[in-house]
Amino acid sequence: EGVCQHSNRFVAPSLQLILSKFIERDHLNKHIRNVMEVAMERKKIFVKAFQKEFKGLIELEGDNHGMYIIGHLPKHISDKKLAAYLKNNGIVAHALSNYFIGNHNESGLVMGYSSVHNKLIEENIKKMKSLIDSYQLAHQSFQLPAKAL
């Protein structure tokens, strides 16, 4: 019943006409291309800043064409606890394990970058690195590999 209610809603002809002209004049495509360009630019900034701060301690998934990047953690680390700690301290990163059904052994962070202003990306990654360093000191079971120290 609820689905029917939402799908049977009437859209005013004036709004339909405006949207139709918006699409016909290629404004929608221009907007989508602009959003994609901005997202690609922010992704480059994110990856560069992340690699500079983390130096391989958290491996980013290489082939990503979406609006999020996955940072893989060692399997023994609870991504849910780390994501909660980061969120409580102002950094939003989702636990990769939340996206699996059943048994899995993936641990990681799903991190968005496309809605973060260019100037804030590097600042937030530095904050994230500092928080993860603090988290490591407070939790003996949490240890990232010492790859590039």
Side-chain angles (χ1 to χ4, degrees):
E1 185 177 297
V3 173
C4 187
Q5 219 175 17
H6 288 289
S7 64
N8 289 336
R9 289 193 176 182
F10 177 74
V11 178
S14 59
L15 290 178
Q16 292 179 32
L17 180 62
I18 292 168
L19 185 57
S20 175
K21 288 185 181 199
F22 184 80
I23 292 170
E24 285 173 8
R25 293 179 182 163
D26 205 36
H27 294 304
L28 179 61
N29 285 328
K30 287 176 187 174
H31 173 71
I32 291 170
R33 283 191 299 272
N34 182 54
V35 167
M36 289 173 63
E37 286 176 23
V38 169
M40 291 299 288
E41 179 184 349
R42 289 178 179 173
K43 179 182 178 182
K44 288 177 187 176
I45 293 168
F46 181 95
V47 169
K48 183 177 178 182
F50 194 91
Q51 289 173 338
K52 179 182 173 187
E53 286 298 317
F54 285 90
K55 299 178 176 80
L57 296 176
I58 297 176
E59 292 293 329
L60 294 179
E61 194 164 287
D63 191 26
N64 178 323
H65 301 288
M67 307 285 243
Y68 294 87
I69 292 180
I70 295 172
H72 291 280
L73 296 168
K75 292 175 179 29
H76 71 278
I77 293 174
S78 170
D79 56 356
K80 290 179 183 179
K81 289 179 183 176
L82 179 59
Y85 174 78
L86 292 171
K87 183 178 180 183
N88 289 336
N89 287 281
I91 298 292
V92 177
H94 305 282
L96 179 62
S97 62
N98 286 336
Y99 297 92
F100 289 89
I101 296 173
N103 293 336
H104 66 86
N105 59 357
E106 293 284 329
S107 183
L109 298 173
V110 180
M111 301 168 284
Y113 56 86
S114 60
S115 65
V116 181
H117 193 277
N118 293 3
K119 293 178 182 178
L120 294 176
I121 292 172
E122 191 171 340
E123 180 182 315
N124 286 342
I125 288 175
K126 285 180 181 180
K127 180 179 178 182
M128 181 181 182
K129 175 65 165 85
S130 175
L131 288 169
I132 289 176
D133 288 346
S134 298
Y135 190 84
Q136 279 193 103
L137 291 173
H139 298 86
Q140 295 296 331
S141 63
F142 181 93
Q143 290 300 315
L144 291 173
K147 283 188 177 181
L149 297 177

